[in-house]
Amino acid sequence: MRRLLLAALVGLAMLPAGAALAQTPDLPGDCVVDENAVVQVLLLIDQSGSLARTDPDDQRLIGARAVIRSYASLADRVGRVEIQVAGFGQDYRPGEWIVLDEDSLGTALERVDAVGSVEDQLHTDYVYAMEGAAGAFAGSGATCQILFWFTDGEHDLDEDYLADGLERNYFPELVTPANVTEAEALMPGLICDAGGYADRLGAAGVSAQIMLLGTESQLDEASRRVLRGMGGDPSLQCGPGNGSFQSVDDASRLPYIMACASQVGAYQLTNVAPDANGALVVNEGVVDAGPAPYQLATEIRLITRGSAGSPPQLASTSLPDPSTTSDADSGMSVVLAHPVGASFAVEMSGVAEACVWVAAQAATPVVQSASPSVYQGEPAEFLVVAEGPHGRLEGEALGRIEVNSENGQVSAPDRTGWSIGVPTLPLAESFDVGVEMVSGPGLIQSVTQTFPLNEQINAPAVVTQPGPVSGEGLGPFAVDLEVDPRDGGELCLTEATSALTAANGEVINATAGFAGVDCVQMEAGPVQTVTMDLTLDRSGFAHQVIEIPTRSVPATSPDRAEEGLLAIDFEVTPRANPALVAVIVVGLMLLMLALLWAILYGVNRLIGRIPDPRRNRVRYAEFVAEVSPTEYGQLEISLAEPPVDSQFRLPRRTPSRLDAGNVRMQRVVSPIPWLPPYARIGIGRDIIGAHQGPGLPGRTVVTEGSYRGRARDSLGPLVVMGVSHTQLQRLAEGTSQKAPGVLLFDIRTARGADASRVAAEIINDSLGLIAAELTASNMVADMERTGEA
Amino acid sequence: MTGNVPIPGGGATTTAGRTAAGSRVATSRRWFYASVAVLALSALVIAFLALGEPWNLAPGMTASFTKSIVALLVTLVLVLPAFAVFRYERQSAGGRWHEPAWRPSLIGWAGLFVALAIAIGWHGLRLAFYIARVWTGEL
């Protein structure tokens, strides 16, 4: 059941996604895929009993179904596909020709199951097989005939089953064990000699695709000559050698090999292989290394095999909607993807072997005249551009396309196309420019464009083709035409409406006119600029050359006229909603500003974080200071209880806060990102006095409550002390007060008793500076209170 | 008055500390200059991606579309992080007692604003037109 399911999936995967336009020609025998082709395929399947041993899981059925479906995918690209499924062993068991299409596909697959599952024939007789095949193709009128021959072994009339004798039409007696060697020896001659079956098949135009389940080296020489000779080795002199041969010694590889061998309507990429890790990458560069530019590829078929039980997986792809089918039993996966003419990559993993096929569509030449009107007996230049399945080809891709024309000299391509120069146009009513565009092997498109030739009747003429026009919405779009009035007259648009094909396949009608009318009157004079308007009936994405025929009538000879063809490279998009554009741009700006703000704010938080005292070996020590008024009204602060080194403690710290005894440092980061972050430092008293830094170069602060410091102040040396308003009043009354204080100190600078001494020195120095600052601020406060100047 | 008060990062007993601080400053300076270089180069790359691009992004213009997306990604992945590094090192470098000796911040800010202006003003605008057209076209 799983194999049947896989076969169905493989077959489905082989079918093209839509009405196939791919014109890659590769069919066995170099048949051309076109709408007139009639393809006949004879699927000849071995039914010998040895299959029970060589292919016990019937893997050949999966492969044969893939063959059927592969050819069924051709049905909508050619006139007719006919298929016959026949079996052979000791006899040839013919089938019937079935016209293969979507409706008859099921019947053909049933036929495969019916024929392919039989393994009851006792012998393997190549002569009967080829005789039957030749008979099947006899009198065929098909343009393309293919014999897909599957066998699991050599030509063999098994002695074990010859006891009663075996009648052979090419041997005069019954074949018995006594004469079997003699009978078998006739086989190569009957098939390969002049006038043999191989010749007859070759003469009928049949191409043989031979699939051997087994090892070629184990074949006897006669069987090898037949299989390899018909399979494309002309040195073995067995038929025309227009076929192909493949052998596979592992039945589990049979579906993979048969699926690869039966691909039609595509070319194989030979430079593709998985790397040592089993990864397979197919991208535009890989496809471009094939015979055609990647912009022409319409379908990529990756047929890959991993190992039994572990089929390759599609790891990633940039192409939309790839179809993937895989089968665990045989370890085969098939991925179908459809390129869109741009860069792409398809990556698979777990790949042991792979064959990659590309279906491509030939580029179509589009011929335009360099000037709208061309004249008899004058030189002319014609421009050729290449339209691919995904739009116009430009740039380097053009260098891989060959353009031929018998009507003029073809230049090398520039970035947009080719030019064809014609030295002198004939004295005729029209001139045919035939162009053949070769995009790759078999990818050939030819067109013939007819241009009317005019006599010189001095009617108004457009001098040069207008430049590219682009715009949005419905128009009108102004197209400036350089018109030479000559003797004056009338310039008209004979077919004012042209059709554009939008990107979504819809048709957009473009109507041209001169201010609402089809004709413009011109007086004799110098070259003038005439504005033509283009108006669309609907909006859409389109980029195309639109052609508008013109007709000019001279004022001097109203009965005569000359014709021209305006070619306008026109690109249009729907009109963008300005409000939506504004919203998107504003949204983008807001996004960027938000990110910028986040960066600035985040950096401020990082910068403002409190340094880790543990990492910086910072400790704190609490002390008690004695504040005393002097007889001169100043304050004096001395260290009442100096700290000793054993009292040094590690502050508690988070990035936003540090607690060192009574001292608290709090990080403050403003949401306004250009305001720098700071640390608010307090000691829990009404008045805080602090000295930061090494002595005089440091900073002394005396203020109410807390002060703004830096986060790095926590690294010390920092001496902080606090007093209350009550204590200040008592100081004013002449009473000494004790005030708590804290020292933050880097203990790397001193150790042991030395640390105690250094700490005392730092505190004493700082307290002196704080006392001076406190005295000054106290005096100012007193003066403010008393109103003294 | 300052006497023997040891200065963190200085003094005879802190040779190792001073060396470590010097190393931090040198590392910080390298990060700073690297971020400025990334800012300036990214601005140039984004400007380069804007050269010769059509105003009317349409379906099928995969290369142009990719360039715009790449420009915005460069802005998000390189410019803004580089500016973060630039800003951080600009503010934090220089050790405990001194401002950084280097202040070439103009090229950093200029790189940021040039990159943002081109990324939003040209690539972003084209993408906005593209989205708006597709939206309008489908409605």
Side-chain angles (χ1 to χ4, degrees), chain A residues 476-563:
Chain A
F477 306 99
V479 182
D480 290 334
L481 305 178
E482 296 295 315
V483 182
D484 184 353
R486 296 176 176 166
D487 291 345
E490 187 179 56
L491 173 65
C492 295
L493 307 174
T494 52
E495 290 178 25
T497 300
S498 297
L500 288 163
T501 304
N504 59 3
E506 294 180 346
V507 174
I508 301 173
N509 291 313
T511 304
F514 299 107
V517 295
D518 290 342
C519 298
V520 60
Q521 295 291 333
M522 309 205 65
E523 300 295 331
V527 174
Q528 303 174 22
T529 299
V530 176
T531 300
M532 184 180 73
D533 297 327
L534 274 174
T535 307
L536 308 182
D537 66 343
R538 64 195 307 169
S539 65
F541 290 97
H543 184 193
Q544 188 177 323
V545 174
I546 56 176
E547 295 181 335
I548 302 171
T550 63
R551 183 180 175 85
S552 303
V553 177
T556 52
S557 306
D559 57 326
R560 305 187 67 185
E562 68 177 38
E563 296 177 341

Side-chain angles (χ1 to χ4, degrees), chain A residues 22-331:
Chain A
Q23 300 190 3
T24 326
D26 285 18
L27 276 181
D30 292 332
C31 294
V32 175
V33 175
D34 62 31
E35 57 192 14
N36 299 317
V38 176
V39 181
Q40 277 192 327
V41 183
L42 173 62
L43 181 53
L44 183 57
I45 302 176
D46 197 337
Q47 295 179 326
S48 61
S50 57
L51 286 163
R53 174 176 46 81
T54 57
D55 184 20
D57 296 327
D58 293 346
Q59 296 285 343
R60 63 189 180 282
L61 285 182
I62 303 171
R65 281 174 157 258
V67 175
I68 296 284
R69 289 186 180 274
S70 178
Y71 281 99
S73 70
L74 269 185
D76 54 1
R77 280 187 274 169
V78 297
R80 190 170 73 249
V81 177
E82 295 179 6
I83 195 152
Q84 181 180 151
V85 185
F88 81 97
Q90 66 196 49
D91 300 315
Y92 177 81
R93 294 175 178 172
E96 295 176 350
W97 288 111
I98 301 170
V99 176
L100 193 58
D101 54 28
E102 287 297 317
D103 296 331
S104 61
L105 180 59
T107 305
L109 294 176
E110 287 173 6
R111 180 68 184 156
V112 164
D113 291 342
V115 174
S117 58
V118 174
E119 47 195 35
D120 63 350
Q121 301 213 46
L122 303 178
H123 308 281
T124 302
D125 192 332
Y126 285 4
V127 179
Y128 272 55
M130 290 303 98
E131 181 185 17
F137 285 113
S140 167
T143 56
C144 188
Q145 299 166 78
I146 299 158
L147 167 63
F148 198 103
W149 179 13
F150 166 75
T151 181
D152 76 330
E154 60 192 17
H155 172 80
D156 181 21
L157 303 179
D158 196 333
E159 289 184 35
D160 295 342
Y161 301 106
L162 292 176
D164 298 333
L166 177 66
E167 186 178 343
R168 297 286 87 182
N169 60 13
Y170 54 84
F171 196 67
E173 308 164 18
L174 286 177
V175 179
T176 63
N179 60 14
V180 64
T181 306
E182 187 183 349
E184 286 181 344
L186 295 175
M187 184 274 291
L190 289 168
I191 295 178
C192 299
D193 285 355
Y197 295 118
D199 263 1
R200 287 167 60 184
L201 287 167
V206 177
S207 170
Q209 286 188 285
I210 296 172
M211 179 70 56
L212 169 67
L213 175 56
T215 307
E216 182 188 348
S217 60
Q218 292 176 345
L219 292 175
D220 62 46
E221 192 54 38
S223 297
R224 182 177 174 276
R225 180 187 173 196
V226 170
L227 297 181
R228 293 289 282 141
M230 292 184 68
D233 186 348
S235 67
L236 295 173
Q237 297 181 336
C238 191
N242 63 342
S244 65
F245 171 85
Q246 284 201 9
S247 64
V248 52
D249 54 1
D250 179 1
S252 68
R253 292 184 68 222
L254 200 54
Y256 165 77
I257 296 294
M258 290 180 78
C260 288
S262 62
Q263 292 301 305
V264 289
Y267 56 81
Q268 186 173 7
L269 297 179
T270 55
N271 58 339
V272 178
D275 64 16
N277 298 320
L280 175 70
V281 178
V282 176
N283 55 28
E284 77 280 359
V286 173
V287 176
D288 221 29
Y294 75 90
Q295 292 91 339
L296 300 180
T298 55
E299 184 177 76
I300 296 176
R301 308 169 189 171
L302 293 96
I303 303 168
T304 56
R305 184 175 172 275
S307 58
S310 179
Q313 301 292 319
L314 179 62
S316 65
T317 177
S318 59
L319 294 176
D321 304 326
S323 72
T324 306
T325 58
S326 57
D327 173 65
D329 284 350
S330 62

Side-chain angles (χ1 to χ4, degrees), chain A residues 537-741:
Chain A
D537 66 343
R538 64 195 307 169
S539 65
F541 290 97
H543 184 193
Q544 188 177 323
V545 174
I546 56 176
E547 295 181 335
I548 302 171
T550 63
R551 183 180 175 85
S552 303
V553 177
T556 52
S557 306
D559 57 326
R560 305 187 67 185
E562 68 177 38
E563 296 177 341
L565 194 64
L566 281 174
I568 303 168
D569 190 352
F570 186 51
E571 184 178 15
V572 66
T573 68
R575 181 177 295 280
N577 184 336
L580 188 56
V581 172
V583 166
I584 295 170
V585 172
V586 168
L588 202 55
M589 291 176 69
L590 290 177
L591 172 68
M592 292 294 179
L593 287 175
L595 290 172
L596 201 55
W597 175 87
I599 286 171
L600 292 169
Y601 181 73
V603 167
N604 279 347
R605 286 180 66 89
L606 279 175
I607 294 299
R609 72 190 188 283
I610 309 284
D612 187 356
R614 185 187 301 275
R615 179 178 297 177
N616 292 281
R617 297 291 185 87
V618 173
R619 302 289 184 269
Y620 77 91
E622 293 181 298
F623 63 85
V624 176
E626 183 164 353
V627 186
S628 311
T630 67
E631 55 186 310
Y632 303 109
Q634 295 176 326
L635 293 176
E636 190 175 78
I637 307 178
S638 60
L639 186 56
E641 295 176 23
V644 295
D645 64 312
S646 61
Q647 294 175 320
F648 291 154
R649 298 283 184 271
L650 180 68
R652 286 188 300 161
R653 174 261 184 191
T654 66
S656 62
R657 177 171 161 172
L658 180 134
D659 289 304
N662 294 325
V663 171
R664 172 182 294 177
M665 299 180 69
Q666 182 74 41
R667 176 183 64 180
V668 179
V669 181
S670 170
I672 300 172
W674 54 85
L675 295 181
Y678 62 91
R680 182 167 298 285
I681 303 172
I683 196 170
R685 291 297 182 108
D686 297 330
I687 306 293
I688 182 171
H691 180 75
Q692 165 71 41
L696 282 177
R699 172 191 179 207
T700 306
V701 176
V702 172
T703 185
E704 293 274 345
S706 62
Y707 74 97
R708 283 190 179 191
R710 299 189 309 174
R712 289 199 187 95
D713 291 349
S714 64
L715 295 177
L718 173 65
V719 174
V720 184
M721 59 160 290
V723 294
S724 65
H725 288 305
T726 308
Q727 286 180 310
L728 280 181
Q729 284 179 357
R730 289 178 182 165
L731 283 169
E733 293 164 0
T735 308
S736 296
Q737 298 293 312
K738 287 191 181 333

Side-chain angles (χ1 to χ4, degrees), chain A residues 342 472 541 571 573-575 580 588-589 592 595 599-600 603-604 607 609 616 694-696 710 712 715 749 765, chain B residues 1-2 5-7 56 58-59 61-62 76 80 84 87-88 91-92 96 120 124-125 128-129 132-133 135-136:
Chain A
E472 58 178 0
F541 290 97
E571 184 178 15
T573 68
R575 181 177 295 280
L580 188 56
L588 202 55
M589 291 176 69
M592 292 294 179
L595 290 172
I599 286 171
L600 292 169
V603 167
N604 279 347
I607 294 299
R609 72 190 188 283
N616 292 281
L696 282 177
R710 299 189 309 174
R712 289 199 187 95
L715 295 177
T749 56
D765 288 347
Chain B
M1 186 160 52
T2 56
V5 174
I7 301 173
N56 51 348
M61 293 184 181
T62 312
L76 292 173
L80 294 179
R87 180 75 174 162
Y88 177 79
Q91 287 190 326
S92 67
R96 296 172 185 173
I120 297 174
L125 191 65
F129 269 105
R133 284 203 179 93
W135 190 325
T136 308

